[in-house]
Amino acid sequence: MRITVFGANGRTGRLLTGQALAAGHEVAAVTRQPDSFPLHHDRLEVVGADVLDPAAVDTAVAGRDAVLSTLGVPAGKEPISTYSRGVANIVAAMERHRVRRLTVVSSSGVDPHPYSDGGFLFNRLLLPYVTRVAGKTLYHDMRRMESLIQSTDLDWTIVRPSGLYHLPSVTDYTVVQGHADGRFTARADLAASMLALLDDHRYVRTTIGVITTADNPTLLEWIRREALATS
């Protein structure tokens, strides 16, 4: 297929682009910093564009079979609108060019639930702090993004991973419709699940959770490696 990946220069976006190329797809990798994109391939087009630029988004979407978004911005106290504004531009371009398939990364933090393996520290302290305080504006904008997508007649799937972390390869990850009872998702598994959705119509116009059930970090390991990471 001919696919466009927005947020391609992020940690999940790079994995998704690499997996898509390995699977034989033609990929347009959209990034604001094309010179720093590390992948090269004869079926790869690196597109220098900002998702907030409607004209640039329109060009990146034209002639494609599917659009995958791994957009991500850091949490902060200031208002965030990248998700909702960016996806609004993507949706408009898809409707204009009659591109149907859209898969977008959101987060389990949009609709937080206690986890069976979370324990008091995670469920009662860390999860409320992340979703209601530290990430309040981020999750508000993700909710706006999800509502916008759900109001379209596109063949969309919203993917909600849990806490992201690094594993060197794809595992036997779990996909469920709605909430997934697991605290962690490897980026390699998130990318693989998005790619698999291109050929899987069971989850069209639904929200799914993706979790990794093998080689999960402990909470302290995750905080040290991911939550406190500088990049």
Side-chain angles (χ1 to χ4, degrees):
M1 297 177 68
R2 296 167 298 171
I3 65 175
T4 296
V5 177
F6 286 93
N9 217 1
R11 285 184 282 183
T12 301
R14 291 179 180 182
L15 291 171
L16 176 58
T17 301
Q19 291 180 14
L21 292 168
H25 300 293
E26 296 180 17
V27 183
V30 182
T31 170
R32 290 183 300 169
Q33 299 176 320
D35 292 340
S36 68
F37 196 72
L39 304 181
H40 304 274
H41 198 282
D42 57 5
R43 282 185 275 102
L44 172 65
E45 177 187 2
V46 180
V47 180
D50 190 327
V51 73
L52 301 182
D53 181 346
V57 171
D58 188 87
T59 299
V61 168
R64 297 288 161 171
D65 300 311
V67 175
L68 309 178
S69 172
T70 60
L71 291 174
V73 297
K77 295 181 180 180
E78 297 300 318
I80 292 172
S81 62
T82 301
Y83 296 101
S84 56
R85 290 174 59 199
V87 166
N89 290 335
I90 291 170
V91 166
M94 292 181 67
E95 291 175 339
R96 190 157 40 246
H97 294 287
R98 299 182 180 180
V99 180
R100 296 289 309 166
R101 193 68 175 105
L102 173 65
T103 303
V104 173
V105 172
S106 182
S107 170
S108 61
V110 166
D111 184 24
H113 292 70
Y115 293 95
S116 60
D117 68 341
F120 179 86
L121 176 63
F122 188 89
N123 287 333
R124 298 297 182 88
L125 298 176
L126 183 61
L127 185 61
Y129 175 76
V130 170
T131 58
R132 300 175 188 172
V133 181
K136 180 178 180 180
T137 60
L138 182 148
Y139 292 119
H140 278 176
D141 195 41
M142 281 188 170
R143 293 185 189 100
R144 288 192 291 267
M145 174 187 73
E146 289 195 5
S147 295
L148 187 154
I149 292 168
Q150 291 163 352
S151 70
T152 73
D153 64 354
L154 298 174
D155 295 333
W156 54 266
T157 304
I158 295 169
V159 183
R160 290 178 177 173
S162 295
L164 294 172
Y165 71 105
H166 173 74
L167 281 181
S169 58
V170 177
T171 75
D172 186 19
Y173 58 86
T174 298
V175 174
V176 299
Q177 187 168 332
H179 172 69
D181 187 19
R183 291 181 292 161
F184 301 109
T185 307
R187 293 183 182 88
D189 291 343
L190 173 57
S193 71
M194 296 181 71
L195 199 60
L197 288 168
L198 293 175
D199 298 314
D200 187 346
H201 301 289
R202 292 176 296 169
Y203 301 111
V204 170
R205 301 183 66 79
T206 63
T207 298
I208 64 172
V210 178
I211 56 171
T212 299
T213 55
D215 298 322
N216 283 170
T218 67
L219 179 58
L220 290 179
E221 287 172 340
W222 182 81
I223 291 173
R224 185 174 68 250
R225 297 175 188 173
E226 302 292 339
L228 300 180
T230 59
S231 62

